[in-house]
Amino acid sequence: MKRSPCLSLLLALAASFVLPQFRAAGQTPAAAASDPSPADASRAMLNKYCVGCHSARLKTGGLVLQDLSTKQVEADAAVWEKVLKKLRGRLMPPPGLPQPPQKDIDAFTAYISSALDTQAKGPTAGYVPIQRLNRTEYAASVKALIGVDVDEKEILPQDVQVEGFDNIAEMLRTSPAFLDQYLTAARHLAKAGVGDMTPPIASVMFRTEGNQDPELPFPPGMRGGIKFTHSVPADGEYRFSFFDLDIGLYNRQMQNTTTLVLLVDGKPVFKGDLGGEHDLWLANVKGTDGWQQILDRFQHIPVKLLAGEHEIIAGFIQRSNVESDDNVGAGGGVGGAVPMAGFRRGIDILEIKGPYNPTGITNSPTRPMIFVCDPKAIGELPCARQIARNLAHRAYSRPVTDADMSYLMRFYNEGRLDNQPFDKGVEEIVAGVLSSPDFLFRSISAPKTAGKTGEFALTDLELARRLSFFLWNTPPDAELLKLAESNGLTKPGVLNAQVKRMLADPKASSLVTGFAMKWLNLNSLDLVQPDAKIFRGFDSELRGDFLKEAQLFLSSILLENKSVLDLLTSDQTFMNDRLAAHYGIRNGPSTSAFKEVTLTDPNRFGLLGKAAVLMRTSYGDRTSPVLRGAWVLDKIIGTPPTPPPPTVNTNLVDQKPGDPPKTVRARLEQHRDNPTCKMCHGVIDPTGLALENFDAIGRFRRTDAQANNAPIDASTVMPSGVKIDGPVELREELASHPEAFVESLSEKLLMYAVNRELEYFDMPQVRKIVRDAKKDNYTFASLISGVVNTDAFRKQGPPENAPAKPTLISKTTTDKLPGASAVKAAEARNPGAVAAPSGAK
C-alpha cells in the first residue's frame, strides 16, 4: 500500500521520539527499519508542499521538482541551489499556501546543502573575460601610480552596476565615447602629475564652516581659528586675504585689541592687530569705508611657498576676554547686556591666490613618484627611459618588455618636438602609460597546456593583480609585485601573509567604499530626494552626515576585524552634533566633528538603525515597507525577492487625492488583500513593516504626522510564523540566524573579489568560507582569507558558457589606434570585451 506524504512525516516524527527509548532499554524496534532517510524525508516534504505547483504539468516559474532525485542531488546542483535560496528566505511556498514547519525546512536545507558540498561535481571556477578598469579603480590606480587625487565622478561616467557592484567584468564594456573620456582624463592627470612650471594664477576660498571645529588641536594660546591643508602647484608668491573677521554692525568687536596670526607649516608668517581705539574710531565714524580700511590690513598678505602641501593655521592670540570692567555684561549679551569683548570674533573666509612670479617646482607630492632620476646627473634620454620603465612596471604589473619601451619612448620623443623641455616629454610618457591597454585592462591568459574546457590556476602575476584590486582597488605595490615576479606568491602561507599585510594598509579602506557601501546600496543615497515641504529639517549637510556615519560604522567593524555580526547588533556608532539632534540624542557630541558614541536606544543598534539605510529604502515623501523589506531580504538574508512584473502598478500605495489620510501600513494592507499581490508581498512586507517606527529620513516616531498623527503599528508576522513588533525584535530575529547573514555577505564578497556573477558551483565554496570563519567568530579578515583561498579566486574557468563577445568597436578602427597590437595580443590570450585606447597623441 502506498503511504501518503503526511503519514510518512507523522511516522518519522513518532520514530524520532520512540526510537531513543527502545535503544535505552537495549531493544531495536522493528519499525526502525522503516525510518525515512534524510533523502526520503526531503522528498516527502517536496511532495507535500512543492510538487503541486512545480510538477511536470504546471512547471510554475519554469521549475520542475516532481522527478528530481533527493538521493543524488549533485546531478541537479543548479536547481537545488535555487531551491535552497528560496527556502532560506521563506520565499516559497508563497504566503497563502500551506507552509512546512521551520524545523522541516531546516532539516531539508541542511541535508541538501551538505550533499551538494560533499558530492560536488563539475567546475569550481567561473570564467572572467578581459575587463576594463571601472572609474573607482581608475581613480585609485592613478593615485597609487602618480599621486594625483582624482574625483572619479568628474572625469568618467557611471559604470553599469550588477547587484550594486560596478566591477563586474562582463559589464565593463568600452565604446569610442568611453575612450575619448579616458584619453582626456589621461592628458589632464599627466599634466597634474608632472606639474606646470608656469601655472595660471588661481584663487581658492576656505570657509570656517567645514574647516573649523572647537575640539581640533590648535597651537596653545590661539582661538577662533581655521586649520586646513592646502596644496600649491608651483614655487612662488601666494597672497592670503581675510574677509569679514566679525567686524559687526555695532562695532562691539573693535573695543579691545587682539592679534591675528597666520602660520604656515607651524611657522608664523604674519601678525596683525585688530581692534582698539583707532579701529573703533574708523568703524564708528566712517562706517563701511572704515570697515574696509581695517580689512585692507589683512588682505593680499604675500607669502613665499614651495610647491606641495602645506598646513595653514590662522587664528587670534588668546587673551582675557575682558580688559576693563566697562565691557562686563550679565548673561553674555542676553537681555540688552554688552557681550564680552572678543567673544564672537573669528575668521569667516580666508582666500589664497597665486602663484605670482612662479620660479619652478622644487617639490610636490606627485613628482617624486614620476621623476625617479635626475636628467642633469645621468642625461635626459637615459633618465626618460628610466622614468618610462618604472611607470610601466608599476602600471602594467609585470616585467617591462622592449616593445613596451619602444611604444612609450615614441610619446617622449613627440613631447620634445619644437624644443619642448624635458618635463613635457615626461608628461607625454605619463599620458601614454595612463592610456595604455595594459593599464586600462586586465586579463587572464590560458596556458598552452589548458584545454578548451578545463580550469587552470592563475599565474602569480595574475593572482597578485586580482588580490590587489580586490583589497585596494589598485595594481600591486612593490612588495606584492616582487613576490609575484619571483613566483613566490603561491608558496605555502605567502598569500595569507600578504592578505594580512594589505588589510593593515590604509588603502584597504576601499573595502568600505568600494565593497560595503555598494553592497548595501548606500553609495547611491543621493537618489532619494526628501520632499522639502514634509521634511523641513533635511538638507545636503545632513545627507552627508548620514553617509559619513555609515562609512565610519562599517570601517570600525570591517577594518578593525570585528565580527561581521556586529553589523547587525553593535551599540557603537559615530555622530556629530547635527546627527545627534536628528536622532534625538541629548547627550551626543557638541561639535561638527564625528565622535564614536555608545548608543543607549536599542532601536538604533546596527545597520537597521542607521539613517542612511532607512532613507535609502524610502521614497522622497514617505516610507516604503516594500523597499525596506526587499532590502532586508537581499542584503541581510541573502534571498532577493523576484522583481515585480512590468505590468504591476507600483503606485497603488500612494495617498489618493481627496481620500482621508491613512498610514502607509493601512494603504499597504488594502494592496495586500489581493491574493495575487500577497504571494510576493506576504514575504517582502513583514520586515519592512517592523521598521515603520522610522520615518523616511530615519527619525524615530510613535505616530505618523502625515496621517493625522495616527499611531504607528510596527507589529508583524514573519514568513516563518515568528511574531515580532518593531525594529528591536526584528534585529533580534535576524541575528538569531547568523549563518544566513554571513553567507549572504560572503556570497557578495566573493562576487566582488572575482569580478563576476556567481554560479551554482560557487555556492559550496561560499558555505565553506562561512564554516571556516565560524571558529574566528566570523571576523571580516577570516572571510577575506576564505575568499582568497577558494578555487573561484585562484583559478580561471573555461569560456564555454561565457556570454557572446559584444561588438564594441570595429576592427578597422582598432587597427588604426596606437597600442592596437597590445589589444590584439590581449584578445588572443583571452577573448572578451575590449577596445583599444589610443595614445596621448
Side-chain angles (χ1 to χ4, degrees), residues 248-550:
L249 179 62
Y250 300 103
N251 305 318
R252 293 186 297 221
Q253 310 308 316
M254 299 291 101
Q255 294 180 17
N256 294 319
T257 302
T258 188
T259 303
L260 176 65
V261 181
L262 174 64
L263 296 92
V264 176
D265 299 327
K267 299 178 180 180
V269 295
F270 170 81
K271 287 184 180 181
D273 289 338
L274 176 65
E277 183 177 347
H278 181 66
D279 284 354
L280 185 61
W281 178 83
L282 284 173
N284 285 334
V285 175
K286 295 197 173 185
T288 55
D289 290 339
W291 299 348
Q292 187 58 53
Q293 288 184 44
I294 297 170
L295 281 177
D296 284 346
R297 303 202 306 267
F298 301 94
Q299 294 185 346
H300 311 297
I301 302 164
V303 180
K304 293 285 187 179
L305 296 178
L306 299 179
E309 289 192 342
H310 299 276
E311 182 187 64
I312 310 297
I313 298 176
F316 293 93
I317 294 178
Q318 181 70 51
R319 56 173 60 125
S320 173
N321 285 325
V322 180
E323 294 186 348
S324 75
D325 53 14
D326 293 335
N327 296 322
V328 177
V334 179
V338 178
M340 291 184 294
F343 181 75
R344 287 184 57 254
R345 184 179 298 161
I347 297 167
D348 294 311
I349 300 174
L350 172 58
E351 178 195 51
I352 304 177
K353 192 173 184 179
Y356 293 90
N357 303 315
T359 58
I361 303 175
T362 301
N363 188 27
S364 77
T366 61
R367 284 178 67 88
M369 302 179 73
I370 299 171
F371 291 85
V372 293
C373 55
D374 184 355
K376 296 179 181 178
I378 66 172
E380 290 185 344
L381 187 58
C383 186
R385 293 185 62 84
Q386 190 171 332
I387 289 171
R389 184 174 295 277
N390 173 67
L391 287 173
H393 184 218
R394 294 163 52 216
Y396 305 164
S397 305
R398 59 168 174 77
V400 180
T401 65
D402 291 340
D404 296 326
M405 291 299 298
S406 177
Y407 172 72
L408 291 176
M409 291 309 293
R410 285 167 43 201
F411 288 87
Y412 171 77
N413 292 332
E414 292 182 19
R416 297 300 305 273
L417 294 176
D418 300 325
N419 296 317
Q420 291 293 315
F422 178 76
D423 281 14
K424 190 63 178 177
V426 173
E427 181 182 316
E428 293 298 313
I429 291 176
V430 175
V433 169
L434 296 182
S435 61
S436 168
D438 290 282
F439 174 68
L440 293 175
F441 298 87
R442 61 185 191 270
S443 63
I444 299 170
S445 303
K448 295 180 180 179
T449 56
K452 292 184 178 180
T453 59
E455 300 175 359
F456 57 89
L458 273 60
T459 66
D460 281 46
L461 285 169
E462 291 164 346
L463 187 59
R465 215 169 189 202
R466 172 170 280 184
L467 177 66
S468 191
F469 275 100
F470 171 34
L471 300 183
W472 287 349
N473 266 340
T474 68
D477 67 353
E479 180 174 334
L480 185 61
L481 187 56
K482 183 178 179 180
L483 276 171
E485 288 179 328
S486 63
N487 294 322
L489 189 57
T490 48
K491 291 180 179 179
V494 174
L495 188 64
N496 289 333
Q498 286 299 303
V499 169
K500 184 177 181 179
R501 176 184 73 86
M502 295 171 72
L503 285 177
D505 191 281
K507 291 195 289 292
S509 62
S510 68
L511 287 167
V512 173
T513 56
F515 165 69
M517 293 292 285
K518 293 176 182 178
W519 158 52
L520 298 171
N521 285 347
L522 300 182
N523 64 309
S524 55
L525 191 60
D526 57 348
L527 294 180
V528 182
Q529 297 294 334
D531 190 323
K533 296 179 181 178
I534 301 173
F535 305 105
R536 297 185 179 182
F538 183 84
D539 55 24
S540 60
E541 291 178 343
L542 195 57
R543 184 197 304 273
D545 292 339
F546 292 176
L547 283 172
K548 188 162 186 177
E549 180 197 20

Side-chain angles (χ1 to χ4, degrees), residues 84-251:
L84 286 176
K85 180 159 287 194
K86 293 291 184 181
L87 288 177
R88 187 170 71 187
R90 293 300 298 250
L91 302 183
M92 291 293 168
L97 297 181
Q99 299 289 318
Q102 185 63 44
K103 63 181 181 60
D104 291 352
I105 288 182
D106 292 343
F108 177 90
T109 56
Y111 165 68
I112 296 295
S113 60
S114 176
L116 290 171
D117 294 348
T118 57
Q119 303 170 24
K121 287 185 177 180
T124 61
Y127 175 76
V128 181
I130 191 168
Q131 68 185 99
R132 168 180 55 79
L133 296 183
N134 66 20
R135 66 179 187 176
T136 302
E137 294 168 338
Y138 183 84
S141 298
V142 167
K143 174 69 174 176
L145 187 64
I146 61 173
V148 176
D149 287 306
V150 182
D151 186 343
E152 60 190 63
K153 296 180 181 179
E154 292 294 326
I155 64 170
L156 295 172
Q158 173 63 58
D159 297 291
V160 176
Q161 298 181 10
V162 180
E163 298 187 37
F165 299 127
D166 55 4
N167 68 337
I168 304 305
E170 184 186 348
M171 296 294 105
L172 291 169
R173 303 175 181 180
T174 309
S175 67
F178 239 123
L179 296 181
D180 286 341
Q181 289 174 302
Y182 273 97
L183 297 178
T184 300
R187 279 198 165 281
H188 171 76
L189 296 169
K191 188 178 186 66
V194 171
D196 188 348
M197 293 293 184
T198 57
I201 295 173
S203 172
V204 183
M205 293 280 194
F206 294 91
R207 298 181 180 272
T208 301
E209 178 64 33
N211 291 293
Q212 177 185 1
D213 190 284
E215 295 190 15
L216 286 175
F218 269 73
M222 289 187 68
R223 62 170 180 79
I226 184 172
K227 178 180 180 180
F228 56 89
T229 300
H230 178 55
S231 181
V232 299
D235 304 351
E237 179 183 293
Y238 292 82
R239 296 173 185 173
F240 289 70
S241 296
F242 295 90
F243 295 94
D244 197 350
L245 295 177
D246 275 342
I247 302 173
L249 179 62
Y250 300 103
N251 305 318

Side-chain angles (χ1 to χ4, degrees), residues 511-512 515-516 519 553-562 564 567 745 780-781:
L511 287 167
V512 173
F515 165 69
W519 158 52
F553 175 71
L554 290 166
S555 297
S556 70
I557 293 172
L558 303 184
L559 301 185
E560 294 179 17
N561 200 30
K562 300 174 183 176
V564 296
L567 293 172
L745 192 161
F780 190 56

